[in-house]
Amino acid sequence: MQQPQQVSSDSDSDPRYANMDERKRKRMISNRESARRSRMKKQQHLDELIKEASELKSQNVEISKKIDAVSQLYIGFQSENNVLKAQIMELTDRLRSLNSVLQFMQDTSGLAMDIPEIPGTLLEPWQLPCALHAIPNVFQC
């Protein structure tokens, strides 16, 4: 059998072409290294975004818990406020009734009686004077 003869190209023997092949090889290696750095940088950025998303989800859960707690407090205060308003109305009606009895007794007996006026604040409970209390900040982080 005859072995095929290797045909030598001009680029193998010409130093100009050998130099080009070396530059091409170096450029290819440089491009691969650059692509590797780019992939690493992209992965690093992706990892940072995933971490940030996780932190934001955690903060969102905490805020939701605080909102739920404040909502429960609000419902409790609203319920208590409704009870107090009903009590004010009931006590105001009782006071009116007692004042009517006193007025009737004064009219029938002729004796002067001290019949207290019903304070306007009882008739308009939304205007009751109350001490200002600081509302606690339940959203402190």
Side-chain angles (χ1 to χ4, degrees):
M1 265 218 259
Q2 195 176 16
Q3 290 198 354
Q5 287 184 346
Q6 213 170 9
V7 178
S8 166
S9 70
D10 287 340
S11 66
D12 289 345
S13 59
D14 192 342
R16 290 180 301 169
Y17 291 120
N19 209 10
M20 272 176 95
D21 288 342
E22 184 62 24
R23 280 187 292 185
K24 186 176 179 182
R25 186 182 66 76
K26 284 182 180 180
R27 188 172 52 241
M28 186 175 70
I29 290 171
S30 174
N31 287 347
R32 285 181 181 167
E33 185 62 26
S34 176
R36 185 186 66 77
R37 285 192 308 267
S38 177
R39 284 190 303 272
M40 285 176 50
K41 188 175 179 181
K42 186 177 179 180
Q43 183 63 46
Q44 212 172 21
H45 184 63
L46 180 63
D47 291 344
E48 289 172 5
L49 289 175
I50 290 171
K51 181 181 175 186
E52 184 179 354
S54 175
E55 289 171 0
L56 290 172
K57 285 179 184 178
S58 177
Q59 289 175 3
N60 193 22
V61 167
E62 288 300 314
I63 290 171
S64 292
K65 287 179 183 178
K66 289 177 181 179
I67 288 172
D68 289 344
V70 169
S71 294
Q72 290 300 316
L73 284 173
Y74 174 77
I75 290 168
F77 290 141
Q78 189 177 31
S79 175
E80 186 179 343
N81 194 29
N82 289 338
V83 168
L84 292 172
K85 283 180 183 178
Q87 288 176 346
I88 286 174
M89 296 307 291
E90 180 183 340
L91 292 172
T92 303
D93 287 344
R94 284 185 187 180
L95 186 56
R96 279 189 185 132
S97 178
L98 290 173
N99 279 351
S100 302
V101 170
L102 287 175
Q103 185 67 45
F104 177 77
M105 288 178 64
Q106 179 178 325
D107 291 346
T108 56
S109 70
L111 295 173
M113 296 191 169
D114 186 22
I115 302 174
E117 279 189 38
I118 299 174
T121 55
L122 289 177
L123 300 175
E124 297 171 344
W126 54 89
Q127 294 181 354
L128 283 175
C130 61
L132 295 176
H133 297 286
I135 298 173
N137 185 357
V138 294
F139 289 110
Q140 290 175 343
C141 294

